[in-house]
Amino acid sequence: MGEQTQTQTKTETQTPSLSQSQPCSVSTIVSDSPLDIPPNPSNPSKIPIRPQKIRKLSSTTEQKPLEPPSDSSQSVPTSNSTGTITKNRRRGASQSTRALPQIIKSLSANGEIENALHHLRLADPLLGSLIDTLPFPVFELHQLPFLALCKSILYQQLTYKAGTSIYTRFVSLCGGEDVVCPDVVLSLSAQQLKQIGISGRKTSFLYDLANKYKTGILSDDTVVKMDDRSLFTMLSMVKGIGSWSVHMFMIFSLYRPDVLPVSDLGVRKGVKMLYGLEELPRPSQMEQLCEKWRPYRSIGAWYMWRFIEGKETPTTAAVVMEGGHVQPLQQIEPQQEVQQHQLQLLESINVIGSLGA
């Protein structure tokens, strides 16, 4: 009896412990993990780890709105998730900055010349002193882009006087400046253009320009609205229009405020004299020396031409007026540099004079 009593007592003692342990384990799983669990998990030990990860992510998500924007943009990421968020924020900020439209104000706009002179005086005291001794620049809108590009092609490798003569005959053949358009140019035969002094090479240039306008690659509207870099790329696709011609067109036809003709010998000579350099600066050096002029490098270049104009002797000016060729700097041999400088200088000065400055 005593043994049976002890055995029964042990059985009763063990039975409640087993019945309590099973419900406890089930209740723990249900309360800690709301997710669906496979019926026969291979590794039950992973069950308490998953809720920890879920709780960690939820706590991170709740804390994100409390972080100040400045700290989150400057913080160094410590994990992949945080790092991804930080990079996305930085990328979004940079993309929003680049997405802002570039506002291009023409130098012919009211008050823009005054703004340019004020900036240049503060940014470059040497140029500021020069500005005070030279005339006030004047830019007035007067020609459509297509007509101005045709004129640029016709003036290539000619003196100003010869170029003006051919341009006048070209406009008369078209029926007037207001009539010059792609269709009219394409209607003219090569023989008609040759009779007024336009070479076969320049005729092909005019045809190529007119065809790009007619096919919609270029138009007066897109040329005016295009940013400087895109405009330079598109116009360089036209036969016969190089970097120097594009720069001259952007300054004297579109009146873009921030164009630096680094290949123009007149501007390079002016920069050399302004800063007391021993030799002419290379195009790459021009970019560095004139960086302070931004965003009004066109006005700085305008004053370099005026600066050189005042330094030219009457003998040199007489030689220039007799004739010669105007070519881009890249096609000039070193021994021809002086003559090229004089010829480009004449063209620039005459163009400036035609603007009423």
Side-chain angles (χ1 to χ4, degrees):
M1 293 294 292
E3 293 178 356
Q4 292 178 356
T5 304
Q6 292 178 357
T7 302
Q8 185 178 1
T9 305
K10 291 180 179 179
T11 304
E12 294 175 353
T13 306
Q14 293 176 357
T15 301
S17 64
L18 292 175
S19 62
Q20 293 176 357
S21 62
Q22 292 178 354
C24 179
S25 62
V26 173
S27 63
T28 303
I29 294 172
V30 173
S31 60
D32 290 344
S33 176
L35 302 177
D36 294 335
I37 301 174
N40 294 319
S42 58
N43 189 2
S45 62
K46 293 183 178 179
I47 295 175
I49 297 176
R50 294 177 64 186
Q52 292 178 0
K53 291 185 177 180
I54 295 172
R55 284 196 296 268
K56 183 177 180 180
L57 290 175
S58 61
S59 62
T60 305
T61 305
E62 293 174 358
Q63 291 178 0
K64 285 177 184 176
L66 298 178
E67 296 177 358
S70 59
D71 295 338
S72 62
S73 62
Q74 298 177 358
S75 61
V76 178
T78 56
S79 65
N80 291 336
S81 60
T82 307
T84 303
I85 294 172
T86 304
K87 289 181 181 178
N88 289 339
R89 288 179 181 175
R90 291 177 179 175
R91 189 181 298 112
S94 60
Q95 288 178 352
S96 63
T97 302
R98 289 195 297 267
L100 292 175
Q102 182 182 6
I103 301 175
I104 302 175
K105 276 192 174 183
S106 170
L107 290 173
S108 60
N110 292 333
E112 195 63 13
I113 298 295
E114 289 78 2
N115 294 336
L117 298 182
H118 177 73
H119 169 78
L120 292 174
R121 286 189 176 98
L122 295 178
D124 191 347
L126 290 177
L127 181 58
S129 300
L130 182 64
I131 289 174
D132 295 334
T133 63
L134 293 175
F136 186 86
V138 177
F139 292 84
E140 296 177 354
L141 202 61
H142 67 288
Q143 279 186 340
L144 293 175
F146 180 77
L147 177 61
L149 288 171
C150 290
K151 184 176 181 180
S152 174
I153 291 174
L154 294 175
Y155 272 76
Q156 289 177 3
Q157 299 183 353
L158 295 175
T159 61
Y160 181 78
K161 183 177 180 180
T164 302
S165 177
I166 292 179
Y167 173 75
T168 302
R169 293 198 292 267
F170 169 76
V171 170
S172 177
L173 183 63
C174 290
E177 286 189 338
D178 297 336
V179 185
V180 177
C181 65
D183 289 334
V184 171
V185 172
L186 292 174
S187 67
L188 301 175
S189 66
Q191 183 63 28
Q192 288 177 297
L193 295 175
K194 183 179 181 180
Q195 290 177 352
I196 62 173
I198 301 177
S199 65
R201 188 175 179 83
K202 288 187 179 180
T203 298
S204 67
F205 296 164
L206 291 173
Y207 287 162
D208 186 65
L209 174 65
N211 278 317
K212 283 184 170 56
Y213 261 77
K214 191 170 183 178
T215 56
I217 297 176
L218 292 173
S219 69
D220 285 350
D221 186 58
T222 57
V223 165
V224 171
K225 294 180 179 179
M226 219 178 288
D227 63 89
D228 291 350
R229 179 174 297 183
S230 301
L231 181 60
F232 185 90
T233 301
M234 295 301 293
L235 291 182
S236 298
M237 294 170 57
V238 180
K239 292 180 181 179
I241 297 182
S243 61
W244 187 82
S245 298
V246 174
H247 286 153
M248 297 301 104
F249 170 74
M250 292 170 69
I251 295 176
F252 296 112
S253 296
L254 299 183
Y255 311 127
R256 293 291 174 91
D258 194 34
V259 179
L260 180 66
V262 295
S263 63
D264 186 273
L265 289 171
V267 179
R268 294 171 65 210
K269 185 65 178 291
V271 171
K272 174 182 178 292
M273 296 176 61
L274 181 67
Y275 297 119
L277 305 178
E278 295 182 357
E279 56 185 16
L280 286 176
R282 297 186 298 273
S284 59
Q285 293 175 318
M286 290 284 292
E287 293 282 355
Q288 297 175 358
L289 291 169
C290 303
E291 178 67 23
K292 63 177 73 72
W293 296 354
R294 285 184 182 271
Y296 296 107
R297 293 182 296 175
S298 299
I299 298 296
W302 190 93
Y303 275 104
M304 293 301 98
W305 282 311
R306 279 298 189 187
F307 187 28
I308 295 300
E309 178 187 8
K311 298 296 181 180
E312 295 296 326
T313 61
T315 303
T316 303
V319 173
V320 174
M321 290 297 295
E322 291 178 359
H325 298 285
V326 178
Q327 300 173 347
L329 177 65
Q330 291 80 357
Q331 302 177 9
I332 301 300
E333 297 295 333
Q335 59 268 22
Q336 296 175 312
E337 188 172 279
V338 175
Q339 181 183 10
Q340 168 64 15
H341 158 61
Q342 295 171 352
L343 296 170
Q344 283 190 359
L345 175 62
L346 172 67
E347 174 69 11
S348 302
I349 292 173
N350 284 318
V351 172
I352 294 171
S354 67
L355 295 176

